[in-house]
Amino acid sequence: MINLKKIGITFLIGTTLLTGCTNSKPKTEKINKEENYAIIRGMNYGEAGKYDESIKAFLKAYSINPNNIMTVRSLGLVYSRAGDTATGEKYFLEALKIDKYDKEALYNYAILKYDAGKYDEALELLNTIKIENVDNRIYIARGGIYYKLKNYEKSFQEFTKIIGDDDYSKDIYQIYIDVMQKSGRGDKVYEFTYNLYKKNVNDKDKMDVFKDYLIFIGAYDEAEKVLKEYTIKNGYSLEITLDLINVTIKNKKYDSAKAYWSLIPEDQNLNIKVLEMKSYYYKELGMQEEAAKYESILKNVKGAEK
């Protein structure tokens, strides 16, 4: 499932704030500096997740100049992040009264609507942004909303506008692949994932996208080959080793899976993912008692971590 919060939702405060750019002239130079200082503190606190302090700082700036759209929309965002969506909405609406086409207010207000499951309203807000101001974040957000609305053709059109132009997270590529399949373009997925991998052979996320698709279509030998090629260039890790074990179990190459187990350090024996894979391994071998033993250990480890 797509998570728009992972896709570029930041304070998006430009360098203009450092020069005291506001929507109304300050009464004095002293107030201008005080306002800017409050905005900077609000931004820093917000990015550190200290929302109460961020709100206080932005409210200070707001008390000095309530017409600075930077401050008003930032209050909408930080209140939303703090869980007070009603107050967040209030400030987003106030920001849009100052400028009904403000991109950042529209974008972040759309995210608030998205989180509330109001996808049509979120889409309407994003579509209000002037075409010359639309950037990759907007295409991604619209693609994600269309995906949630199960309009896979329009979702594909939005994602296609940006895929290939920049570097995106694994989540974005996986959604795009799902959209391709659900919009009748499943025959193009292998080529897309293969090319993505070949252009970024040392990028684990890109390798994962290709590997996961290979596993999905049952191409286990090729998936194992991709994993081994990656380890030759980048070395083994616990995650890669578990992936190798997983793909060889699925391929019923149990001897190979056993050989990969030897690569896992002893100090990782109580790692939750290792225990889960052990249980899966023995279940696939039909050794239910051994599987149950690791299930019990796993339960105890999880209980101890709570």
Side-chain angles (χ1 to χ4, degrees):
M1 182 176 71
I2 195 165
N3 184 347
L4 291 184
K5 286 185 176 180
K6 293 182 179 179
I7 310 171
I9 300 180
T10 64
F11 275 83
L12 299 163
I13 296 179
T15 56
T16 51
L17 91 85
L18 298 175
T19 62
C21 179
T22 64
N23 286 58
S24 64
K25 292 183 179 179
K27 293 180 180 178
T28 69
E29 185 178 355
K30 181 179 180 182
I31 292 177
N32 187 43
K33 289 181 179 178
E34 188 178 4
E35 179 190 357
N36 283 334
Y37 180 58
I39 291 173
I40 293 169
R41 284 190 292 116
M43 178 181 66
N44 290 336
Y45 281 131
E47 290 178 344
K50 297 179 179 180
Y51 300 128
D52 288 342
E53 292 91 336
S54 180
I55 288 169
K56 288 178 184 177
F58 279 124
L59 285 174
K60 176 65 176 177
Y62 182 81
S63 71
I64 297 169
N65 181 5
N67 295 314
N68 185 342
I69 197 167
M70 171 81 69
T71 298
V72 180
R73 68 164 121 91
S74 294
L75 278 166
L77 180 55
V78 75
Y79 269 114
S80 299
R81 284 186 168 182
D84 187 349
T85 55
T87 304
E89 183 170 23
K90 169 183 174 291
Y91 281 106
F92 282 136
L93 289 170
E94 188 174 330
L96 292 172
K97 286 182 181 178
I98 298 171
D99 180 357
K100 65 180 180 180
Y101 295 115
D102 182 73
K103 179 175 70 172
E104 303 308 336
L106 288 165
Y107 174 75
N108 286 295
Y109 190 21
I111 300 306
L112 185 151
K113 292 292 187 181
Y114 177 93
D115 288 342
K118 298 178 180 179
Y119 305 125
D120 289 322
E121 292 181 40
L123 194 58
E124 184 179 355
L125 288 163
L126 293 172
N127 287 339
T128 303
I129 297 170
K130 291 181 178 180
I131 187 64
E132 61 266 26
N133 293 329
V134 172
D135 57 25
N136 286 4
R137 294 172 309 136
I138 311 304
Y139 290 127
I140 290 171
R142 290 200 302 220
I145 292 169
Y146 280 126
Y147 180 78
K148 293 294 290 186
L149 292 171
K150 298 184 179 180
N151 189 331
Y152 301 118
E153 181 60 34
K154 285 193 174 181
S155 181
F156 175 79
Q157 291 172 11
E158 294 293 333
F159 280 121
T160 300
K161 292 171 183 175
I162 56 94
I163 292 295
D165 289 344
D166 207 340
D167 187 33
Y168 296 100
S169 69
K170 182 166 63 174
D171 291 338
I172 296 296
Y173 291 117
Q174 289 174 333
I175 291 297
Y176 182 63
I177 289 165
D178 197 36
V179 166
M180 290 178 73
Q181 293 170 322
K182 290 176 177 175
S183 64
R185 298 173 174 86
D187 60 328
K188 304 294 184 182
V189 174
Y190 179 90
E191 180 183 4
F192 170 73
T193 55
Y194 175 79
N195 289 335
L196 183 68
Y197 164 65
K198 279 300 182 181
K199 290 177 183 177
N200 306 273
V201 292
N202 293 316
D203 186 318
K204 186 178 180 303
D205 277 356
K206 309 302 186 299
M207 183 275 293
D208 277 340
V209 169
F210 185 44
K211 175 261 299 180
D212 288 346
Y213 179 68
L214 291 173
I215 291 174
F216 174 75
I217 63 175
Y220 303 126
D221 285 333
E222 190 173 358
E224 183 182 3
K225 179 182 177 182
V226 167
L227 285 163
K228 289 170 74 174
E229 287 177 349
Y230 180 84
T231 60
I232 290 171
K233 295 180 179 179
N234 299 281
Y236 281 93
S237 67
L238 178 62
E239 186 177 357
I240 293 292
T241 304
L242 289 173
D243 279 341
L244 283 163
I245 293 169
N246 178 51
V247 74
T248 48
I249 292 173
K250 289 182 180 296
N251 206 15
K252 301 188 185 303
K253 294 169 61 175
Y254 300 118
D255 288 342
S256 294
K258 185 177 180 180
Y260 289 129
W261 278 119
S262 65
L263 298 174
I264 296 180
E266 289 186 8
D267 62 2
Q268 294 297 321
N269 284 340
L270 295 180
N271 179 287
I272 287 177
K273 290 184 178 180
V274 171
L275 291 170
E276 288 173 340
M277 191 62 72
K278 282 276 189 181
S279 176
Y280 171 56
Y281 173 69
Y282 285 114
K283 281 179 182 177
E284 290 296 304
L285 286 174
M287 301 173 65
Q288 299 304 324
E289 288 187 9
E290 280 295 305
K293 181 179 79 173
Y294 284 102
E295 286 286 344
S296 178
I297 297 172
L298 180 61
K299 184 177 179 180
N300 291 332
V301 170
K302 286 183 175 179
E305 291 188 355
K306 289 182 179 179

